[in-house]
């Protein structure tokens, strides 16, 4: 019997104020919401979080009736409109801080200070508050106040972008949001660590995450070598790679395979047998790891000819039968229809009340003994403003006063 069926979500009762915008900060709050937290997203009146418009920016495809990027990173939240620049907003902000267990922000340090959102001003209002902030370049240093996105900071500044070049080709642009989503998981982990600390000490804490730190962590296998005094690894040249058995190859039907033989001594004989040429194991170029690396360009040339003789489907059967480690370079369209993603609950249905359910991407953190909430529709701008204000104790006269002051819109 499933012992999770009758249980409340793990984070039910946890209150979160999401003051962040775009992806990394809001996505961390989304993961909290996936486990049942009550997340209130605070947005500027009229325009809301600029990320609402991302799915309409070319070349992003439009989907009728579904703001798909907004849905991904803001499901399971309530939205209120609040003009933080209005003097009257302070009363609302202070009540939100006192209400909250967790506050998430990604304003740059000068903006936080200007709006009175810095940790030192908010922490005294709620000694148990977990204040989680995310930045492009961290909290200190000459670039701390600069704006940063994942493409400029996580991807470019870390050295990851440089390592994608093939020969003299220009560096590749990463998939937008990839660094943001990785950083969101780090911020989520920091928030949960701080909540654990609060259980032990009774006190709140400040949690930091940054795109630049996440980028360094992502580039760590190479970057750590340089810190230890190793030589700078060159961007991989497919025709002259460090290892021909960790390389991409084109099949007869113009698809690409990726070999990834981590245990070469075990997999190379299996590989050569699968190719129908076990005798090649006696070739001096294939004899051991050092020889294979020294003769990588020659081996690439041989394998290019070999892989060009059969289509992808045939190579998959050959490699699967041999138990070899390889990858298929799938298109995004193929990934979106890959049955493994559905079988393993990477893709889950959205509960939006519509007759035609669609799938969204689940957050990657799971506990076998805990049930996540089913993804609900992401909120419309300001959809819950008055309801949340009433929960915070504002009466009708006070709400009208906030509307007349331009702190919240008339709705």
């Amino acid at each position: 019997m499933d012992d999770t069926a009758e249980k409340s979500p793990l984070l039910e009762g946890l209150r979160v104020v999401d003051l962040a915008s775009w992806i990394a900060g809001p996505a961390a709050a989304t993961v909290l919401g996936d486990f049942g937290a009550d997340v209130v997203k605070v947005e500027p009146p009229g325009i809301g979080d600029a990320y609402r418009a991302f799915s309409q920016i070319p070349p992003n495809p439009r989907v009728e009736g579904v703001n798909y990027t907004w849905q991904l990173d803001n499901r399971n939240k309530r939205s209120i409109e609040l003009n933080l620049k209005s003097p009257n907003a302070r009363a609302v902000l202070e009540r939100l801080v006192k209400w909250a267990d967790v506050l998430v922000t990604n304003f740059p340090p000068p903006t936080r200070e200007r709006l009175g959102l810095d940790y030192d001003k908010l922490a005294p209002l709620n000694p148990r508050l977990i204040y989680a902030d995310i930045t492009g370049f961290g909290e200190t240093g000459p670039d701390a106040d600069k704006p940063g996105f994942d493409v400029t900071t996580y991807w470019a500044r870390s050295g990851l972008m440089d390592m994608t070049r093939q020969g003299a080709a220009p560096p590749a642009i990463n998939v937008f949001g990839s660094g943001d989503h990785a950083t969101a998981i780090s911020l989520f982990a920091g928030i949960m660590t701080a909540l654990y600390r609060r259980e032990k000490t009774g006190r709140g804490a400040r949690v930091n995450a940054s795109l630049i730190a996440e980028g360094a962590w992502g580039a760590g296998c190479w970057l750590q070598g340089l810190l230890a005094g190793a030589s700078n690894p060159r961007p991989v040249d497919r025709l002259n790679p460090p290892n021909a058995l960790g390389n991409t190859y084109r099949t007869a039907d113009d698809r690409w395979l990726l070999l990834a033989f981590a245990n070469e001594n075990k997999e190379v004989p299996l590989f050569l047998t699968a190719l129908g040429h076990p005798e090649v194991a006696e070739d001096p170029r294939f004899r051991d790891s050092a020889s294979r690396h020294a003769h990588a360009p020659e081996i690439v040339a041989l394998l290019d000819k070999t892989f060009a003789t059969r289509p992808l489907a045939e190579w998959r059967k050959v490699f699967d039968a041999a138990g070899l480690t390889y990858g298929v370079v799938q298109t995004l369209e193929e990934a979106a229809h890959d049955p493994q993603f559905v079988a393993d609950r990477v893709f889950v249905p959205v509960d939006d009340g519509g007759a035609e359910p669609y799938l969204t991407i689940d957050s990657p953190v799971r506990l076998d003994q805990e049930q996540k909430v089913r993804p609900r529709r992401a909120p419309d701008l300001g959809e819950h403003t008055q309801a949340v204000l009433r929960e915070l104790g504002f009466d009708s006269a006070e709400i009208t006063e906030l509307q007349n002051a331009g702190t919240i819109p008339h709705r």
Side-chain angles (χ1 to χ4, degrees):
M1 181 177 177
D2 183 1
D3 65 354
T4 66
E6 302 301 323
K7 291 174 62 176
S8 297
L10 179 64
L11 298 182
E12 185 174 84
L14 188 78
R15 297 167 167 178
V16 181
V17 174
D18 176 5
L19 283 168
S21 59
W22 287 96
I23 303 175
T30 295
V31 184
L32 295 170
D34 286 347
F35 284 99
D38 181 2
V39 183
V40 172
K41 183 168 185 64
V42 180
E43 303 184 68
I47 57 171
D49 184 342
Y51 190 44
R52 285 181 177 273
F54 183 76
S55 63
Q56 274 70 54
I57 300 174
N60 295 319
R62 294 169 183 254
V63 179
E64 189 66 33
V66 179
N67 190 339
Y68 56 92
T69 47
W70 182 254
Q71 176 63 42
L72 173 64
D73 292 310
N74 290 282
R75 59 176 177 252
N76 300 336
K77 296 181 184 180
R78 297 190 287 167
S79 169
I80 69 170
E81 292 176 276
L82 181 64
N83 179 6
L84 291 172
K85 297 178 182 178
S86 168
N88 297 59
R90 192 69 194 179
V92 180
L93 179 64
E94 290 186 0
R95 291 199 203 183
L96 282 168
V97 170
K98 292 174 182 177
W99 172 85
D101 294 289
V102 179
L103 182 144
V104 180
T105 178
N106 67 342
F107 287 115
T111 305
R112 288 203 304 261
E113 184 174 355
R114 187 169 62 251
L115 295 175
L117 299 174
D118 45 311
Y119 176 71
D120 292 338
K121 287 188 176 67
L122 298 186
L125 299 172
N126 182 352
R128 290 174 56 82
L129 180 71
I130 307 302
Y131 180 100
D133 68 79
I134 199 160
T135 61
F137 294 96
E139 296 290 328
T140 59
D143 295 337
D145 294 346
K146 288 184 176 180
F149 286 95
D150 73 332
V151 67
T152 63
T153 311
Y154 171 90
W155 190 243
R157 186 70 174 266
S158 68
L160 284 169
M161 189 179 223
D162 182 61
M163 293 303 295
T164 66
R165 293 185 294 119
Q166 289 281 325
I173 301 293
N174 68 317
V175 174
F176 294 142
S178 55
D180 285 312
H181 282 128
T183 308
I185 295 301
S186 290
L187 188 65
F188 168 76
I191 291 169
M192 297 305 295
T193 303
L195 288 169
Y196 177 72
R197 177 183 180 273
R198 192 176 76 173
E199 286 298 305
K200 298 180 71 173
T201 67
R203 297 190 300 272
R206 184 178 183 182
V207 178
N208 307 108
S210 69
L211 293 167
I212 197 170
E214 194 72 29
W217 185 249
C221 290
W222 293 310
L223 195 56
Q224 179 62 63
L226 291 173
L227 293 175
S231 59
N232 185 16
R234 69 183 190 275
V236 175
D237 180 351
R238 200 194 72 79
L239 298 177
N240 183 20
N243 182 357
L245 301 179
N247 200 31
T248 55
Y249 295 94
R250 194 195 302 262
T251 62
D253 53 346
D254 203 27
R255 299 300 305 274
W256 287 90
L257 280 169
L258 170 67
L259 302 185
F261 298 165
N263 188 345
E264 289 187 34
N265 291 334
K266 175 185 176 182
E267 292 194 87
V268 166
L270 295 174
F271 174 60
L272 295 174
T273 299
L275 295 182
H277 296 285
E279 74 283 355
V280 176
E282 302 304 317
D283 187 318
R285 294 172 295 182
F286 284 84
R287 182 173 300 146
D288 54 35
S289 179
S291 297
R292 289 190 290 269
H293 293 189
H295 295 279
E298 299 168 62
I299 295 173
V300 169
L302 290 171
L303 293 180
D304 272 343
K305 293 178 181 177
T306 301
F307 280 109
T309 61
R310 300 191 199 180
L312 173 63
E314 291 187 23
W315 286 121
R316 293 185 72 161
K317 290 179 182 178
V318 168
F319 284 3
D320 287 341
L324 294 167
T325 308
Y326 73 101
V328 174
V329 181
Q330 292 202 128
T331 66
L332 279 176
E333 289 81 3
E334 287 172 326
H337 296 92
D338 189 327
Q340 179 63 27
F341 287 90
V342 176
D344 196 43
R345 295 175 290 117
V346 176
F347 297 162
V348 291
V350 174
D351 184 9
D352 69 348
E356 296 275 342
Y358 60 92
L359 297 176
T360 191
I361 304 165
D362 194 14
S363 52
V365 180
R366 297 182 190 171
L367 283 76
D368 283 352
Q369 291 73 26
E370 300 295 336
Q371 188 94 2
K372 287 184 178 179
V373 301
R374 185 169 177 176
R376 299 187 302 275
R377 178 183 61 82
D380 293 333
L381 176 60
E383 181 179 347
H384 307 95
T385 301
Q386 296 210 21
V388 170
L389 289 177
R390 292 188 185 281
E391 286 180 32
L392 295 174
F394 288 91
D395 60 28
S396 297
E398 290 172 314
I399 291 174
T400 299
E401 183 180 346
L402 291 170
Q403 290 174 327
N404 293 336
T407 305
I408 63 172
H410 288 274
R411 285 184 186 271

